[in-house]
Amino acid sequence: MNSVKATLIWFALTLAVTVPVFVAARSPLLAWREPVYIAAGFAGVIAMALLLAQPLLAGGYLPGLPARRGRRVHRVVGAALVLAVIVHVAGLWVTSPPDVIDVLLFRSPTPFSLWGVIAMWGVFAAAFLSVVRRRLSLRVWRIGHTSMVGLVVATSAVHAILIQGTMGTVSKTVLCLLALAATTKVILDMRVWRHLFHKRG
Amino acid sequence: MSFSVPNRRIVLTATASLVATGASGLFAPALAQDIAPTPSMRGGANNYLPGAPIVERIGSGGFLMSGTVRRAGDGAPLAGQRIQIWAHTTEGHERDPHSHGATLTDENGVFRLEMPQIVPAFGQPHGHLAYDGEDFETVFLRPVMRRAGDTSLSADFVLKPA
């Protein structure tokens, strides 16, 4: 890959990840929120941005980070993603405990929170599978991790889009679509479904 | 002797007028005797602080919360009922005591309380209202604003005698 193309890819990824964060940082809503609530919101924004980086790293699409090295970074970013989700939920809990309890018990009046809870458990499940990966067959690992992250990206996108929060509508939508597109591409390129039909693989 | 089979248009028109009659006019007096109580909304009681004081306005105002309080069954307006109101506003979080206040309904069962501008929190711009008195069953409401820029919000109570 030539260096111009490499530079452009990294530039585009940097933009896609940083612009939503900068737009959120300029939200007027921040003026009326306490630090814990602000931190919780940004943990959510960052988690969404990491969901775009993850499939690109897993597929070895990023210049300088081919599959093997890319996956090492993918594991580190995955741990950061788990941490971001925990900070997001814990920070919201501190801000308004009854609202978060309602959300976790699936009895919240807000429709977007349901998708967020599903995404949270999906992230935890995908991370758990990667921790016990050595004990799994390649088939179980691939199908399990892929179906979990597919669920995570789809439900996170719905969760984010439905929320009236600090993120800008345009940058939020673009980030969600890019994450969905990148996830779809890596699933197609790795032809994960072949593991569904062939027991050995 | 001629006999005409009713065509589709006549059947449709007859059905539509029957439905319209039923929905709008004729049965309304019967319904007025049986106005159903308002159920509490999901999440309505979140961050409720019992015993919010009756105030002229919450904070420096600028946003109007209003509504009506009526009795279940006959729908009679209820005067002097205490409605408690709280929200995440430009002046504080839902949990802050200064974000809470209460007001009484007038002789027409109407309440109006000025409060600071409600801002989106937990993903939706919304307010909380409570009726928590002796004479009727407790009701918690959580209305959502159509747009975050709205400067008023309303919620109506139909209370069931305790």
Side-chain angles (χ1 to χ4, degrees):
Chain A
M1 189 180 299
N2 67 50
S3 65
V4 175
K5 193 178 173 190
T7 310
L8 279 177
I9 288 175
W10 277 106
F11 181 68
L13 176 63
T14 308
L15 271 187
V17 166
T18 54
V19 168
V21 179
F22 275 111
V23 171
R26 292 173 54 85
S27 168
L29 294 180
L30 296 178
W32 308 305
R33 293 185 179 190
E34 284 168 3
V36 178
Y37 190 8
I38 293 172
F42 273 95
V45 178
I46 289 164
M48 199 66 228
L50 296 182
L51 284 185
L52 169 59
Q54 283 297 67
L56 300 176
L57 291 165
Y61 302 135
L62 295 174
L65 290 174
R68 189 168 282 275
R69 281 181 67 196
R71 290 202 188 158
R72 209 173 304 146
V73 182
H74 178 83
R75 283 193 280 276
V76 175
V77 174
L81 179 59
V82 170
L83 185 69
V85 170
I86 291 171
V87 171
H88 182 60
V89 176
L92 293 176
W93 186 303
V94 170
T95 305
S96 183
D99 283 316
V100 175
I101 291 167
D102 281 355
V103 168
L104 295 176
L105 297 178
F106 293 108
R107 63 180 193 203
S108 168
T110 53
F112 51 80
S113 57
L114 169 72
W115 302 106
V117 178
I118 295 170
M120 177 189 78
W121 288 115
V123 166
F124 293 165
F128 174 76
L129 287 176
S130 69
V131 170
V132 299
R133 180 181 176 178
R134 287 182 191 283
R135 299 189 200 177
L136 306 173
S137 68
L138 179 65
R139 180 169 179 261
V140 170
W141 156 250
R142 279 273 166 87
I143 293 171
H145 191 71
T146 306
S147 49
M148 281 304 117
V149 299
L151 179 79
V152 167
V153 176
T155 53
S156 295
V158 177
H159 175 66
I161 301 250
L162 290 177
I163 287 177
Q164 272 185 275
T166 57
M167 292 186 87
T169 311
V170 175
S171 63
K172 177 166 71 177
T173 309
V174 170
L175 179 62
C176 290
L177 291 177
L178 287 174
L180 283 166
T183 307
T184 307
K185 176 168 169 54
V186 74
I187 291 172
L188 293 179
D189 284 359
M190 291 174 68
R191 302 197 303 125
V192 175
W193 59 85
R194 71 198 144 103
H195 297 284
L196 284 172
F197 308 116
H198 304 294
K199 289 232 166 197
R200 303 206 164 270
Chain B
M1 190 174 128
S2 69
F3 177 78
S4 69
V5 177
N7 65 22
R8 182 161 27 171
R9 188 187 301 166
I10 290 171
V11 172
L12 278 176
T13 313
T15 310
S17 56
L18 198 66
V19 169
T21 312
S24 64
L26 285 179
F27 301 107
L31 283 172
Q33 291 306 312
D34 192 26
I35 290 182
T38 312
S40 283
M41 294 177 175
R42 280 190 189 191
N46 289 357
N47 295 317
Y48 174 57
L49 298 176
I54 291 175
V55 291
E56 279 291 305
R57 72 168 78 83
I58 302 173
S60 46
F63 182 97
L64 181 66
M65 182 72 88
S66 64
T68 59
V69 181
R70 292 184 298 156
R71 182 167 57 203
D74 62 2
L78 295 170
Q81 300 302 321
R82 185 157 166 274
I83 298 298
Q84 301 179 57
I85 295 164
W86 68 103
H88 185 120
T89 70
T90 53
E91 294 180 20
H93 282 224
E94 273 181 17
R95 292 168 84 190
D96 300 335
H98 68 258
S99 298
H100 294 242
T103 188
L104 298 174
T105 54
D106 64 15
E107 65 276 13
N108 298 315
V110 173
F111 66 89
R112 300 162 64 86
L113 186 63
E114 267 209 64
M115 59 190 294
Q117 175 68 40
I118 292 179
V119 290
F122 278 70
Q124 285 180 332
H126 67 278
H128 292 268
L129 302 95
Y131 167 82
D132 187 9
E134 303 271 302
D135 302 335
F136 299 91
E137 288 183 7
T138 300
V139 175
F140 289 101
L141 300 182
R142 183 189 176 281
V144 177
M145 286 146 65
R146 272 180 209 280
R147 284 174 300 273
D150 288 353
T151 55
S152 67
L153 184 59
S154 68
D156 298 321
F157 291 80
V158 176
L159 301 177
K160 187 179 172 192

